[in-house]
Amino acid sequence: MAEATQDQTPTYVEKGKAFDRDMNYIPDRITKDGRTPEHGPTDVQLWPVEPGRYRLVAAKACPWANRSIIVRNLLGLEDVISLGMPGPTHDRRSWTFDLDPGGRDPVLGIERLQEAYFKRFPDYPRGITVPAIVEESTGQVVTNDFPWITHDLFHEWRDFHKEGAPDLWPAHLREEMDAVNKRVFTEVNNGVYRCGFAGSQEAYDAAYDRLFTALDWLEERLADRRYLMGDALTEADVRLFTTLARFDAVYHGHFKCNRNKLTEMPVLWGYARDLYQTPGFGETIDFDRIKAHYYVVHTDINPSGIIPKGPEPEVWLQPHGRG
């Protein structure tokens, strides 16, 4: 990410370069009794699962944070892990709690998420990202490693899942699901950003081709199954949904992902509406916040700051025919 002065919004496009996401996050894990987990990074600080100890800070505007809100809902962890919600826009310094009275998170008492990061790492050198989990008693950030946050909400907090919570990580599908998740992340979740933040025509063209190759693959894969992994909802669906939900409102125009709209891909559009209408999904989507985030924060792509009025959100409530 290119530098900006402290009070400016950041710049995202580096002329002549392809977009390369920084995937270095605070790798700590929250596990049952602080145990060593079977999957993922283990040479990290381990924190114990404990209801009421942690606050998930997640902006509805952000797709990576949105997935954590959905998983928390699906598993019934609302009374176990509290939720703090920053507003949709931010500057280079941090996400801010401008939706809360007085502009402060009511539990953590902070104006900027940056304060929780600096409380633990005074010289934290990277971006202040959401989702982040913060320890309520100390106000210190625990982790912002978004892929493992939702993974661990399922595997490590099982004792506190609601009755009938979905099996988001079926053991017999683990290997195939890891492969599907990898392709969805690299080609779709991050693929739209590679288009939007491309710094050259060549980088954009390559990113565009990769994105739509993957979307065509998904259109074909979902033609004979309701969900990505078969007949049951998994986290693979959560991960894809947050990109699809933003596609026509943001990525099609703002990020130049304009071969076609989501509404013009009949299988993916039906699938996306199916998920949107599933409890735990649609109520986490706020199109006004989503559009405000992208069109206001990305001043190097949209210098006017004008936020488009459409598309109409009511189309997401049309029958999907995938039951």
Side-chain angles (χ1 to χ4, degrees), residues 25-30 47 53-60 62-69 72 81-86 94-97 105 107-108 110 112-118 120-121 124 126-136 139-150 153 157:
Y25 296 98
I26 302 167
D28 290 13
R29 307 279 296 276
I30 301 173
W47 302 65
R53 180 171 177 173
Y54 305 104
R55 186 162 180 80
L56 172 65
V57 178
K60 280 188 173 182
C62 169
W64 320 105
N66 191 179
R67 82 163 60 161
S68 67
I69 301 173
R72 175 178 173 269
I81 303 170
S82 67
L83 177 64
M85 200 166 287
S94 179
W95 294 83
T96 55
F97 293 96
D105 179 271
V107 171
L108 302 174
I110 57 178
R112 290 178 172 272
L113 181 56
Q114 183 186 58
E115 296 173 55
Y117 280 69
F118 284 177
R120 184 173 175 203
F121 305 107
Y124 188 74
R126 300 186 180 278
I128 307 300
T129 63
V130 291
I133 293 184
V134 179
E135 186 178 38
E136 291 187 4
Q140 296 183 1
V141 66
V142 173
T143 180
N144 64 341
D145 199 345
F146 69 90
W148 293 104
I149 286 175
T150 52
L153 288 180
W157 292 80

Side-chain angles (χ1 to χ4, degrees), residues 29-37 46-49 152 156-157:
R29 307 279 296 276
I30 301 173
T31 63
K32 183 176 180 180
D33 301 322
R35 72 187 186 97
T36 300
L46 300 174
W47 302 65
V49 163
D152 291 344
E156 305 299 331
W157 292 80

Side-chain angles (χ1 to χ4, degrees), residues 40-281:
T42 57
D43 187 21
V44 298
Q45 183 170 336
L46 300 174
W47 302 65
V49 163
E50 184 180 323
R53 180 171 177 173
Y54 305 104
R55 186 162 180 80
L56 172 65
V57 178
K60 280 188 173 182
C62 169
W64 320 105
N66 191 179
R67 82 163 60 161
S68 67
I69 301 173
I70 294 172
V71 169
R72 175 178 173 269
N73 287 357
L74 293 175
L75 299 178
L77 295 172
E78 295 96 325
D79 295 330
V80 178
I81 303 170
S82 67
L83 177 64
M85 200 166 287
T89 61
H90 62 79
D91 56 22
R92 190 177 70 87
R93 292 168 60 194
S94 179
W95 294 83
T96 55
F97 293 96
D98 45 287
L99 300 176
D100 293 308
R104 289 185 178 273
D105 179 271
V107 171
L108 302 174
I110 57 178
E111 294 179 326
R112 290 178 172 272
L113 181 56
Q114 183 186 58
E115 296 173 55
Y117 280 69
F118 284 177
K119 193 148 191 184
R120 184 173 175 203
F121 305 107
D123 299 316
Y124 188 74
R126 300 186 180 278
I128 307 300
T129 63
V130 291
I133 293 184
V134 179
E135 186 178 38
E136 291 187 4
S137 62
T138 65
Q140 296 183 1
V141 66
V142 173
T143 180
N144 64 341
D145 199 345
F146 69 90
W148 293 104
I149 286 175
T150 52
H151 178 280
D152 291 344
L153 288 180
F154 176 75
H155 286 283
E156 305 299 331
W157 292 80
R158 287 193 192 205
D159 290 347
F160 304 97
H161 291 180
K162 67 182 179 183
E163 185 177 355
D167 182 0
L168 296 180
W169 287 87
H172 69 288
L173 295 174
R174 176 80 196 217
E175 186 175 350
E176 181 188 2
M177 189 165 144
D178 283 344
V180 169
N181 283 342
K182 182 177 180 180
R183 186 171 185 184
V184 167
F185 172 74
T186 59
E187 306 303 297
V188 181
N189 299 146
N190 198 43
V192 292
Y193 285 86
R194 280 202 310 271
C195 291
F197 295 158
S200 72
Q201 188 68 50
E202 293 75 17
Y204 166 75
D205 289 347
Y208 177 101
D209 291 343
R210 287 177 61 179
L211 169 65
F212 282 100
T213 295
L215 289 177
D216 288 341
W217 165 69
L218 289 165
E219 181 86 349
E220 182 177 351
R221 180 181 179 90
L222 288 162
D224 61 357
R225 62 183 76 196
R226 184 173 183 183
Y227 301 110
L228 274 177
M229 303 311 301
D231 296 330
L233 179 73
T234 67
E235 183 165 326
D237 301 294
V238 178
R239 294 184 176 201
L240 176 57
F241 171 77
T242 59
T243 296
L244 298 182
R246 289 157 175 77
F247 199 88
D248 288 2
V250 175
Y251 303 142
H252 178 269
H254 184 58
F255 277 179
K256 307 179 184 69
C257 302
N258 63 350
R259 190 193 74 177
N260 52 257
K261 295 182 289 187
L262 176 66
T263 55
E264 295 166 341
M265 301 189 78
V267 174
L268 272 173
W269 176 224
Y271 165 81
R273 296 201 311 280
D274 186 4
L275 292 176
Y276 183 90
Q277 295 169 32
T278 298
F281 284 82

